[in-house]
Amino acid sequence: MSKSEECMLLMDEREKTTFSLEEMTHLLDGGKYKTDLRQSIEKVILSDPRMKPEDISCMSPQQQHNHGVKRMIYFYTDLAKKMSWDFTDSRCPELEFLPRTVGMATSLMLHASAFIPSVAQLGTKEQVAKWYTLGKEYFILGCYAQTELGHGTNLRELETTATFDQKRQEFVLHSPKLTSMKWWPGELGKGANHALVMAQLIIQGKSYGMHAFLVQIRDLTSHRPMPGVTVGSIGSLMSMGGSDNGYLSFKSVRIPKANMLARYAEVSADGTYIKKGDTKLMHASMVNLRVLMTKGEAVLGLEKACTIAARYSCVRRQGSLQPSKPEIQVIEYVTQQHKIISQIATAYAMHFTIQHVQAIYNQFLQDLDKGKVGNLTELHFVTAGVKASMTEQSVEGIETVRRACGGHGFAHSSGLPALLQRAIPSCTYEGDNTVMYLFCARHLLRCAQKVFMGQPLEGSVKYLSAEIQNKCRANKKEDFINPNILLACLQHKAQAMLLETATYMQYIASKGMNQMDVWNISSVQLVNVVKAHMLQYIFSTFLDFINETYCSPPIRDVLLKLCALYGIYNINNNATNLLKDGYLNGEQCTLMERVEVDLLQDLRKNVVGLVDSFDFRDEILNSCLGAYDGNVYERLFENAKNSPMNKDEVHEETYKYLKPHLHKGRDILKKMSKL
Amino acid sequence: MSKSEECMLLMDEREKTTFSLEEMTHLLDGGKYKTDLRQSIEKVILSDPRMKPEDISCMSPQQQHNHGVKRMIYFYTDLAKKMSWDFTDSRCPELEFLPRTVGMATSLMLHASAFIPSVAQLGTKEQVAKWYTLGKEYFILGCYAQTELGHGTNLRELETTATFDQKRQEFVLHSPKLTSMKWWPGELGKGANHALVMAQLIIQGKSYGMHAFLVQIRDLTSHRPMPGVTVGSIGSLMSMGGSDNGYLSFKSVRIPKANMLARYAEVSADGTYIKKGDTKLMHASMVNLRVLMTKGEAVLGLEKACTIAARYSCVRRQGSLQPSKPEIQVIEYVTQQHKIISQIATAYAMHFTIQHVQAIYNQFLQDLDKGKVGNLTELHFVTAGVKASMTEQSVEGIETVRRACGGHGFAHSSGLPALLQRAIPSCTYEGDNTVMYLFCARHLLRCAQKVFMGQPLEGSVKYLSAEIQNKCRANKKEDFINPNILLACLQHKAQAMLLETATYMQYIASKGMNQMDVWNISSVQLVNVVKAHMLQYIFSTFLDFINETYCSPPIRDVLLKLCALYGIYNINNNATNLLKDGYLNGEQCTLMERVEVDLLQDLRKNVVGLVDSFDFRDEILNSCLGAYDGNVYERLFENAKNSPMNKDEVHEETYKYLKPHLHKGRDILKKMSKL
């Protein structure tokens, strides 16, 4: 490709960067050795022609699925094996960089990230020895079957039953109603031959709640459903990527007694139910999936989208601020800076926070290996809140920067639609965000009770028990770039909202309203409380990282500005609760609006450096707008020319409907020209 | 289908409705005769088997396009002709209900709604007689080619040239650079054989700006590109619906002089440029497209989404507020009410407002027929603001209620993904929303100047010149259901924000900052000013409608509550600017949060009645979740079973990649069982 004017513009932008890209990339990856590891993985995967993704945007969902399976079965059973990467082990060092390189929502991913770890988590040693090995080698293909057609989040109400038949020492799996049909499991529709089925355990007419059962659902030779099994695809979904979601129901399907996963509970031959070990740990593997997914779909998605939009905004010219002057780069417009740079700040804040959360989880696992069970409540609270807050911010961010790319942001060749479509479901799966927020709210309300009783708090909620400040003490523009001032604002907001809501709930309860109604009519506020709490959590984690990490002054400077921008952006977005109790006054709000613009204009020179630091190779971005060289228009045209939609000059399939009318037109025009 | 438990729940909901559905439907349609007209159109279209849409979600973009052309060519050239519906005439009474019945983003729509009206608008009588007739009968298929690969909103910078060749009395169309390639026009990619090309008119080396030229781009017999013409599809886009967007460039393509559309300007035989008539009217037909699209994609989209989500929320049971009680309808949760009912209120507010705007436009046209040119500035201002504000609110609303449907909201069979995907582009096309907001901001700043000079304002901005109120006088919960109190809040907010921003801009300009920088650093605030102005415009238009229309007391009651909810929802969303200057105090904000919950709980009983009143037939909603009878789960399962993805029990195309591994697994398992 030629060195177009656009390429020159990006080269000029790179000249402006004030910090070392290499240093920033190492910080983002978590150290130089991690950057090296990542780059070596990327090299292996991206240089393998069989891993090259085709343009799935022109395919039907079925074709997308075929393409995904072909690519990923090669990856897991051949390439990864050759490289000795074991992705079924959550401690595999390469796993961290896998979503970045091959994408998250890929075929067969859930076999490795949900089915296998669940077997490992819930099975006895013998069960794991058998099934884990079969699964790891892709000799069986499994899915995790929990959600039902009529039941999502509320697991206790799942209707599928597994009834113990003592005489035959078997369990009988059964779906009593249409609503009890398993619905959604990934890999189930057309691929899986085994399912880990969550079902109500019933022994002699008594229910013992949810347990996990391994059920063979398809014949291993013919791939047809086993007797009594109904299975199929649930049809096409909004998100692309060839996922294979399915439905599954049972008509008295028998499995051997040995197929109940029995690490935490088992049924003896005589039908006695025996509890073993701490069932609280049962769901720890789900925490990992939640964090992995938040990072892979939400945070990485926003980073990629920012990379694309920032580079494009520097090469796109449109309009001018001064008449008769040539058109300017659209990044010069403050409205564009507000869209792009605020989201880059969000991406950085979330990046370092999710890395911190991953470290907490890894610490938890290491402690567990030593027999020490860490603070599971805090782990669930933090991961649920982070998941809900980050997926929401990420989807909003991706869509914001996508829209900032104008019409070209709609083209699949921009790479942006795929990022949006992959991020959107993350607000729902692995725990609907509203449910996650309300789960966190219960914890925060318990914290509020402790605050009222003067008890101290620890961990991520410690600030809530600090003495409440009445007024923000900042009064100059410079004050509002001070991260401690901003942290105090964000913490005050969450604290004040929580205590106000908790006080009101106590008040109406004291007036005789029942607890359930009190909870219900406060729930919208409670969701907002958790959102405010999470913003301060992300901000303070980012700030802690900057303060606790050695970095050169230019890096520290730009990170502090990003951190300040993230804080101010969110305060300015909605300062209602800071004004309500007089913590901020009107002049302070106005000052903050101006500081925000100052920060945007200051960070503008680093806009390309900041996204270059994410170090996404062109093959990963897969974007005509966001490629490293900035050669946007040539790429767009090349891509369009090569689109399957241009394979034939005349689309006979379409033209045949138009032809009779157009030939009439031809004849009329001919006659006209003869007149 | 059976009368499931879910059906019974919806029947119970309908019992609760407090008002006459028929009366509400007539109000929404604009009178009983319009309801009759709409229903008769729907009957004709929906009962025609050739108009039945297939499940396009399982198709590739090419297949979607083929399907769309097949369906719509039949519609326009056969069915509509039989019924004497002329959709190329913007005054055709049936046109109003077309988007509702066949969908907006349909193949060939832009030929009728952009190409034909532009020819009619820009051509001389002779030109219209020739081309309009050919187009109307689909004897030629045209597209409107304006946007270029490197140029969007800023029309003056378009690079395509049309150079007058006096000797041959022709124009030579040419694309001097890659960035000047026409990019985006709908119907262009594979279908159109004529294009209305916007190009720089050049006579003897001098440029006369943008003019419209009719160019034949494909041969009428072979459908192949004409000599010198490069044309093709720009590839797949985020939105579904089989649109056919294309690229087009010219290498010295000659057209007769008569093909310059010459109603407003022409070139004489000797090369003299002659201006004729009022060119301001040139873009009036684009105003119509903007309004039509806002209604068709944004407002109708939100209404459909609300219908689906409201019905589903009444039949979906999940969790319970009291332990040991059966699961409750999710609509009982206030968080769910907040998502669904606030959006129903938004849909109603936007519905009556866009109807009002359409009436303004129609009045403008009627005046024009009588030779009177109405207030074009106000028309552009109102339609640009309404377009930006409503498309944005609509996309947010559709996504909010889609997420409120949990996992099932991702399935194409819910009907929700298609609504979202069709609404999202509306924020960009027909004028990017940020550009629209800033266009309106320029007008509002001129209004602010008048306010500073004590001059009165008229029309939609009249309230800005009213005396500024210092404090909101409400102090009881009931006060905040009073729409006049809420209108005063919304107007104060917009007025205060505008005057504060304008004052600041004057101040920094007086300190020596150049006008362009003043504008640029204020632009984020200016966008917010316009958003605030538009919220009060929509609220006040809705309120005026209620006050000026005869309706029965139960209808009036529910409409006033919807209006109040729309106001409170938006005030509570962000009260920053009402608190900043002390117009509201903290207690008032807290009261409003409580009033919002009261209103939600009050309107909850009418939730199904309110969406039933939109009167969308099942064939139009095309949703398993939102069908009238509420039989959600049977429909979902039926739909999945019939999905093309379940055509074959074993997907050979996918299975072939898995087979070698799974057969190994089979052999290992066999060996194991023998041990």
Side-chain angles (χ1 to χ4, degrees):
Chain A
M1 283 197 183
S2 66
K3 272 241 148 48
S4 64
E5 190 198 338
E6 286 73 30
C7 300
M8 307 302 283
L9 281 170
L10 264 198
M11 287 167 73
D12 289 348
E13 290 296 330
R14 293 195 169 105
E15 290 292 311
K16 296 179 191 161
T17 309
T18 61
F19 57 87
S20 151
L21 288 195
E22 207 187 11
E23 186 185 346
M24 189 67 97
T25 301
H26 293 166
L27 280 183
L28 286 161
D29 282 327
K32 180 177 181 314
Y33 73 103
K34 286 226 177 176
T35 299
D36 293 343
L37 176 67
R38 175 178 62 73
Q39 288 176 341
S40 73
I41 297 167
E42 288 175 357
K43 202 171 157 191
V44 170
I45 295 176
L46 300 175
S47 63
D48 188 325
R50 294 176 67 176
M51 287 305 294
K52 202 175 149 56
E54 292 168 32
D55 176 5
I56 62 169
S57 72
C58 284
M59 299 179 185
S60 71
Q62 276 188 335
Q63 292 168 327
Q64 290 181 25
H65 176 56
N66 297 340
H67 169 64
V69 169
K70 177 181 160 191
R71 184 170 172 253
M72 294 310 290
I73 197 85
Y74 164 71
F75 176 71
Y76 283 115
T77 65
D78 200 331
L79 184 62
K81 226 170 143 181
K82 233 179 268 166
M83 301 302 299
S84 308
W85 298 334
D86 179 4
F87 296 123
T88 58
D89 178 359
S90 68
R91 276 160 257 195
C92 160
E94 286 83 5
L95 185 58
E96 186 181 346
F97 299 114
L98 186 64
R100 182 180 158 112
T101 314
V102 299
M104 270 293 279
T106 343
S107 306
L108 310 186
M109 183 68 108
L110 283 171
H111 169 82
S113 63
F115 175 73
I116 296 286
S118 298
V119 170
Q121 181 72 40
L122 304 174
T124 60
K125 269 189 193 141
E126 300 72 36
Q127 289 173 325
V128 174
K130 176 178 174 182
W131 298 107
Y132 183 79
T133 318
L134 283 164
K136 221 174 103 164
E137 302 284 334
Y138 284 74
F139 291 154
I140 61 170
L141 190 65
C143 66
Y144 181 88
Q146 178 172 293
T147 308
E148 296 176 354
L149 183 53
H151 305 277
T153 317
N154 190 17
L155 300 186
R156 274 173 307 186
E157 300 288 337
L158 292 176
E159 295 175 300
T160 304
T161 53
T163 307
F164 184 56
D165 177 341
Q166 195 185 331
K167 208 156 96 195
R168 292 170 62 172
Q169 294 287 302
E170 287 174 340
F171 290 104
V172 184
L173 273 288
H174 192 62
S175 311
K177 290 166 67 180
L178 178 62
T179 46
S180 68
M181 175 173 267
K182 293 293 176 189
W183 197 268
W184 280 111
E187 326 299 356
L188 170 65
K190 291 293 164 185
N193 50 30
H194 280 74
L196 191 160
V197 178
M198 298 303 288
Q200 298 280 358
L201 168 64
I202 292 173
I203 311 171
Q204 292 171 345
K206 192 182 160 196
S207 175
Y208 290 82
M210 281 299 121
H211 289 75
F213 301 86
L214 260 176
V215 190
Q216 184 182 339
I217 56 171
R218 283 189 168 97
D219 183 88
L220 294 172
T221 301
S222 70
H223 204 55
R224 294 192 176 277
M226 297 294 282
V229 169
T230 301
V231 61
S233 163
I234 59 169
S236 62
L237 305 174
M238 188 161 71
S239 292
M240 298 193 321
S243 68
D244 177 32
N245 303 77
Y247 60 79
L248 172 66
S249 75
F250 304 106
K251 206 170 160 184
S252 301
V253 171
R254 292 180 165 271
I255 56 169
K257 177 170 163 295
N259 280 23
M260 172 173 153
L261 293 180
R263 178 161 170 189
Y264 296 101
E266 70 177 320
V267 179
S268 70
D270 66 354
T272 311
Y273 178 79
I274 305 160
K275 240 186 130 171
K276 312 186 299 190
D278 189 352
T279 51
K280 272 192 298 182
L281 293 173
M282 272 176 68
H283 300 296
S285 69
M286 284 291 136
V287 169
N288 190 38
L289 190 55
R290 194 173 281 162
V291 175
L292 211 64
M293 184 275 295
T294 302
K295 185 172 177 183
E297 303 287 15
V299 184
L300 279 176
L302 183 58
E303 291 174 7
K304 289 177 190 173
C306 283
T307 304
I308 297 166
R311 289 176 180 165
Y312 177 61
S313 299
C314 290
V315 304
R316 175 72 170 189
R317 288 171 177 279
Q318 189 170 284
S320 67
L321 285 163
Q322 284 167 282
S324 82
K325 289 275 173 76
E327 292 197 298
I328 60 172
Q329 294 161 281
V330 294
I331 195 67
E332 301 299 353
Y333 294 99
V334 173
T335 46
Q336 190 78 356
Q337 294 167 8
H338 187 247
K339 290 175 195 169
I340 309 284
I341 303 177
S342 309
Q343 292 308 327
I344 293 176
T346 304
Y348 269 80
M350 298 206 299
H351 184 104
F352 291 112
T353 304
I354 197 77
Q355 253 173 19
H356 174 72
V357 175
Q358 264 182 322
I360 295 177
Y361 178 70
N362 290 338
Q363 187 59 51
F364 181 85
L365 286 188
Q366 279 178 29
D367 289 350
L368 213 56
D369 284 348
K370 295 177 199 144
K372 190 180 136 200
V373 180
N375 190 340
L376 204 60
T377 311
E378 169 88 357
L379 188 68
H380 276 299
F381 171 68
V382 169
T383 54
V386 156
K387 185 268 178 193
S389 176
M390 287 197 185
T391 53
E392 206 167 287
Q393 288 183 64
S394 163
V395 169
E396 203 185 311
I398 293 171
E399 176 60 7
T400 299
V401 304
R402 194 196 59 70
R403 277 192 213 170
C405 295
H408 293 318
F410 284 109
H412 276 292
S413 59
S414 74
L416 292 165
L419 294 173
L420 181 68
Q421 286 168 335
R422 283 181 181 189
I424 281 184
S426 67
C427 295
T428 304
Y429 61 52
E430 297 309 317
D432 172 83
N433 282 358
T434 302
V435 175
M436 293 289 101
Y437 283 131
L438 290 173
F439 167 80
C440 294
R442 289 196 189 274
H443 182 64
L444 286 179
L445 282 176
R446 281 189 295 267
C447 294
Q449 294 312 321
K450 288 193 180 168
V451 171
F452 290 145
M453 293 188 290
Q455 294 171 10
L457 295 168
E458 285 308 320
S460 61
V461 291
K462 191 174 172 184
Y463 76 98
L464 290 170
S465 57
E467 203 183 326
I468 198 158
Q469 302 294 320
N470 288 330
K471 295 233 178 278
C472 171
R473 55 200 162 78
N475 50 35
K476 297 186 304 296
K477 256 185 167 186
E478 307 84 81
D479 293 340
F480 287 107
I481 306 177
N482 179 343
N484 294 317
I485 297 276
L486 296 170
L487 179 61
C489 281
L490 290 165
Q491 293 191 332
H492 177 85
K493 181 175 166 178
Q495 188 189 39
M497 286 171 79
L498 173 64
L499 300 183
E500 184 195 334
T501 308
T503 306
Y504 179 64
M505 289 173 78
Q506 284 187 341
Y507 169 75
I508 51 176
S510 76
K511 292 275 167 195
M513 189 182 281
N514 78 61
Q515 285 297 333
M516 300 305 147
D517 288 340
V518 170
W519 169 262
N520 200 21
I521 69 166
S522 312
S523 55
V524 172
Q525 289 311 314
L526 287 170
V527 168
N528 290 332
V529 168
V530 180
K531 287 183 184 178
H533 167 75
M534 287 314 306
L535 284 178
Q536 77 74 33
Y537 179 79
I538 296 169
F539 182 90
S540 68
T541 308
F542 186 19
L543 184 56
D544 287 348
F545 174 83
I546 301 171
N547 287 334
E548 291 162 12
T549 308
Y550 170 76
C551 48
S552 65
I555 291 270
R556 193 179 147 78
D557 177 67
V558 76
L559 287 178
L560 281 172
K561 280 175 183 154
L562 285 172
C563 185
L565 179 61
Y566 180 68
I568 290 189
Y569 173 77
N570 282 295
I571 293 169
N572 287 353
N573 252 351
N574 195 343
T576 306
N577 285 285
L578 288 166
L579 285 157
K580 254 176 85 171
D581 65 357
Y583 184 80
L584 288 184
N585 59 40
E587 291 86 67
Q588 289 171 318
C589 277
T590 302
L591 274 182
M592 279 217 248
E593 285 165 11
R594 298 191 186 143
V595 173
E596 186 176 6
V597 175
D598 289 351
L599 277 170
L600 292 174
Q601 296 201 305
D602 183 308
L603 285 162
R604 184 249 166 278
K605 59 180 172 292
N606 279 313
V607 71
V608 170
L610 285 169
V611 297
D612 278 357
S613 301
F614 292 134
D615 195 24
F616 289 113
R617 290 172 52 149
D618 281 352
E619 302 94 313
I620 290 176
L621 286 181
N622 205 6
S623 165
C624 296
L625 296 191
Y628 186 82
D629 67 3
N631 208 354
V632 166
Y633 300 118
E634 288 189 34
R635 277 178 204 279
L636 280 172
F637 184 46
E638 277 307 309
N639 186 285
K641 272 195 297 189
N642 297 325
S643 158
M645 294 162 91
N646 288 320
K647 217 180 69 192
D648 305 307
E649 196 158 54
V650 178
H651 234 231
E652 286 302 338
E653 203 32 59
T654 309
Y655 182 52
K656 72 180 178 201
Y657 300 113
L658 300 173
K659 198 151 61 176
H661 306 277
L662 305 183
H663 281 189
K664 255 188 231 165
R666 174 196 60 192
D667 299 340
I668 295 171
L669 273 164
K670 243 185 221 161
K671 254 188 239 163
M672 279 183 176
S673 67
K674 279 180 194 150
L675 291 179
Chain B
M1 283 195 180
S2 65
K3 270 242 147 50
S4 65
E5 191 197 336
E6 287 74 30
C7 300
M8 308 300 283
L9 281 169
L10 265 198
M11 286 166 73
D12 289 348
E13 290 296 330
R14 293 194 169 105
E15 290 291 312
K16 296 179 192 162
T17 309
T18 62
F19 57 87
S20 151
L21 289 193
E22 208 187 10
E23 188 186 344
M24 189 67 98
T25 301
H26 293 166
L27 281 182
L28 286 161
D29 284 327
K32 180 177 182 312
Y33 75 102
K34 286 226 177 176
T35 300
D36 293 342
L37 176 68
R38 174 177 62 73
Q39 288 176 341
S40 73
I41 298 167
E42 288 175 357
K43 202 171 156 191
V44 170
I45 295 177
L46 301 174
S47 63
D48 187 325
R50 294 176 67 176
M51 286 306 294
K52 203 176 146 59
E54 292 168 31
D55 177 5
I56 62 168
S57 73
C58 285
M59 299 179 185
S60 71
Q62 276 188 335
Q63 292 168 329
Q64 289 180 26
H65 176 57
N66 297 341
H67 169 65
V69 169
K70 176 180 160 193
R71 184 170 170 252
M72 293 310 289
I73 198 86
Y74 165 71
F75 177 71
Y76 283 115
T77 65
D78 198 331
L79 184 61
K81 227 169 142 182
K82 233 179 268 162
M83 301 302 299
S84 309
W85 299 334
D86 179 4
F87 296 123
T88 58
D89 177 0
S90 68
R91 277 160 254 195
C92 160
E94 286 83 7
L95 184 59
E96 187 180 346
F97 299 114
L98 185 64
R100 182 179 160 114
T101 314
V102 299
M104 268 294 278
T106 343
S107 307
L108 310 187
M109 183 69 107
L110 283 171
H111 169 82
S113 63
F115 175 73
I116 295 285
S118 298
V119 170
Q121 182 72 43
L122 304 174
T124 60
K125 269 189 193 143
E126 301 71 37
Q127 289 173 325
V128 174
K130 175 178 176 183
W131 298 107
Y132 184 79
T133 318
L134 284 164
K136 221 175 103 163
E137 301 285 334
Y138 283 75
F139 291 155
I140 61 170
L141 190 65
C143 67
Y144 181 89
Q146 179 172 293
T147 308
E148 296 176 354
L149 184 53
H151 304 277
T153 316
N154 191 18
L155 301 186
R156 275 173 306 187
E157 300 287 337
L158 293 176
E159 295 175 299
T160 304
T161 53
T163 307
F164 184 57
D165 178 341
Q166 196 185 330
K167 208 157 94 195
R168 293 170 60 173
Q169 294 287 304
E170 287 174 341
F171 290 104
V172 184
L173 274 287
H174 193 62
S175 312
K177 289 167 68 181
L178 179 62
T179 45
S180 68
M181 176 174 266
K182 294 292 174 188
W183 197 268
W184 279 112
E187 325 300 356
L188 169 65
K190 291 293 162 186
N193 50 30
H194 281 73
L196 191 160
V197 177
M198 297 303 287
Q200 300 279 1
L201 168 64
I202 293 173
I203 310 171
Q204 293 174 342
K206 191 182 161 196
S207 176
Y208 290 82
M210 282 298 122
H211 289 75
F213 301 86
L214 260 176
V215 190
Q216 184 181 339
I217 55 172
R218 283 188 169 98
D219 182 87
L220 293 171
T221 302
S222 70
H223 204 56
R224 295 193 174 275
M226 297 295 282
V229 168
T230 300
V231 60
S233 163
I234 60 168
S236 63
L237 304 174
M238 187 162 70
S239 290
M240 299 193 320
S243 68
D244 177 31
N245 302 78
Y247 60 78
L248 172 67
S249 73
F250 304 106
K251 205 169 160 185
S252 301
V253 171
R254 292 182 165 270
I255 56 169
K257 177 171 165 292
N259 280 22
M260 171 173 155
L261 294 180
R263 178 163 170 187
Y264 296 101
E266 69 177 322
V267 179
S268 69
D270 67 352
T272 312
Y273 179 78
I274 306 159
K275 238 184 133 171
K276 313 186 297 189
D278 189 353
T279 52
K280 273 192 297 182
L281 293 172
M282 271 176 70
H283 300 296
S285 70
M286 285 290 136
V287 169
N288 189 39
L289 190 55
R290 193 174 281 163
V291 175
L292 211 65
M293 184 274 294
T294 302
K295 185 172 177 183
E297 303 287 14
V299 183
L300 279 177
L302 183 58
E303 291 174 7
K304 289 179 189 172
C306 283
T307 304
I308 296 166
R311 288 176 181 165
Y312 176 61
S313 297
C314 290
V315 304
R316 175 72 172 189
R317 288 170 176 281
Q318 189 171 285
S320 67
L321 286 163
Q322 284 167 282
S324 84
K325 289 275 174 75
E327 292 197 298
I328 60 172
Q329 294 160 280
V330 295
I331 194 68
E332 300 299 354
Y333 293 100
V334 173
T335 46
Q336 191 77 356
Q337 292 167 9
H338 187 247
K339 290 175 195 169
I340 309 284
I341 304 177
S342 309
Q343 293 308 328
I344 294 175
T346 304
Y348 269 79
M350 298 206 298
H351 184 103
F352 291 112
T353 304
I354 197 77
Q355 253 173 17
H356 174 72
V357 175
Q358 265 183 322
I360 295 176
Y361 179 71
N362 290 337
Q363 187 60 51
F364 181 86
L365 287 188
Q366 279 179 29
D367 289 349
L368 214 55
D369 285 346
K370 294 178 203 148
K372 192 181 133 200
V373 179
N375 190 339
L376 203 60
T377 311
E378 169 88 357
L379 188 68
H380 275 299
F381 171 68
V382 168
T383 54
V386 157
K387 186 269 178 191
S389 175
M390 287 198 185
T391 53
E392 206 167 290
Q393 288 183 64
S394 165
V395 168
E396 203 185 312
I398 293 172
E399 176 60 7
T400 299
V401 305
R402 194 197 59 71
R403 277 191 212 170
C405 294
H408 292 317
F410 284 109
H412 276 292
S413 59
S414 74
L416 292 165
L419 294 173
L420 181 67
Q421 287 168 334
R422 284 182 180 190
I424 282 184
S426 67
C427 295
T428 304
Y429 60 53
E430 297 308 317
D432 172 83
N433 282 358
T434 302
V435 176
M436 293 290 101
Y437 283 132
L438 291 173
F439 167 80
C440 293
R442 289 197 189 272
H443 182 64
L444 286 180
L445 282 176
R446 282 188 294 266
C447 293
Q449 293 313 321
K450 288 192 180 170
V451 172
F452 291 144
M453 293 189 289
Q455 293 170 10
L457 295 166
E458 284 308 319
S460 61
V461 291
K462 190 174 174 186
Y463 75 97
L464 290 171
S465 57
E467 204 183 326
I468 199 156
Q469 302 294 321
N470 288 330
K471 295 233 178 277
C472 171
R473 56 199 163 79
N475 50 36
K476 298 186 304 294
K477 254 185 170 187
E478 307 84 82
D479 293 341
F480 286 106
I481 306 177
N482 179 343
N484 294 317
I485 297 275
L486 297 170
L487 179 60
C489 283
L490 291 165
Q491 293 192 332
H492 178 85
K493 181 174 167 181
Q495 187 189 38
M497 286 172 80
L498 173 63
L499 299 184
E500 184 195 334
T501 308
T503 306
Y504 180 64
M505 289 173 79
Q506 283 188 341
Y507 169 75
I508 50 176
S510 75
K511 293 272 167 199
M513 189 181 282
N514 77 61
Q515 285 298 334
M516 298 305 147
D517 288 340
V518 170
W519 169 263
N520 200 20
I521 69 167
S522 312
S523 55
V524 173
Q525 290 311 314
L526 287 170
V527 167
N528 289 332
V529 168
V530 181
K531 287 183 183 177
H533 167 74
M534 287 314 305
L535 284 178
Q536 77 74 35
Y537 178 78
I538 296 169
F539 182 91
S540 68
T541 308
F542 186 18
L543 184 57
D544 286 348
F545 174 83
I546 302 170
N547 287 334
E548 290 162 14
T549 309
Y550 170 76
C551 47
S552 66
I555 292 269
R556 193 179 147 78
D557 177 67
V558 77
L559 287 178
L560 281 171
K561 281 174 182 155
L562 285 172
C563 184
L565 179 62
Y566 180 69
I568 290 189
Y569 173 77
N570 282 296
I571 292 169
N572 287 352
N573 253 352
N574 196 342
T576 306
N577 284 285
L578 287 165
L579 285 158
K580 254 177 85 171
D581 65 357
Y583 184 80
L584 287 184
N585 59 40
E587 291 86 66
Q588 288 170 319
C589 275
T590 302
L591 273 183
M592 279 217 249
E593 285 165 10
R594 296 188 187 144
V595 173
E596 186 176 5
V597 176
D598 289 351
L599 276 171
L600 292 173
Q601 297 201 305
D602 182 309
L603 285 162
R604 184 249 166 276
K605 60 178 172 294
N606 279 313
V607 70
V608 171
L610 285 169
V611 298
D612 279 357
S613 301
F614 292 134
D615 195 25
F616 289 113
R617 290 172 53 149
D618 281 353
E619 301 95 314
I620 290 176
L621 287 180
N622 205 5
S623 165
C624 295
L625 296 192
Y628 185 82
D629 68 3
N631 208 355
V632 167
Y633 301 117
E634 288 189 34
R635 276 177 205 279
L636 280 171
F637 185 45
E638 277 305 309
N639 186 286
K641 272 194 299 189
N642 297 325
S643 158
M645 295 163 90
N646 288 319
K647 216 180 70 192
D648 305 307
E649 197 158 53
V650 178
H651 234 233
E652 286 302 338
E653 203 31 58
T654 308
Y655 183 52
K656 72 181 181 201
Y657 301 113
L658 300 172
K659 196 150 66 175
H661 307 276
L662 304 183
H663 281 190
K664 258 188 227 162
R666 173 196 61 192
D667 299 340
I668 295 170
L669 272 166
K670 242 186 220 158
K671 255 189 237 160
M672 278 183 176
S673 68
K674 278 182 195 148
L675 291 179

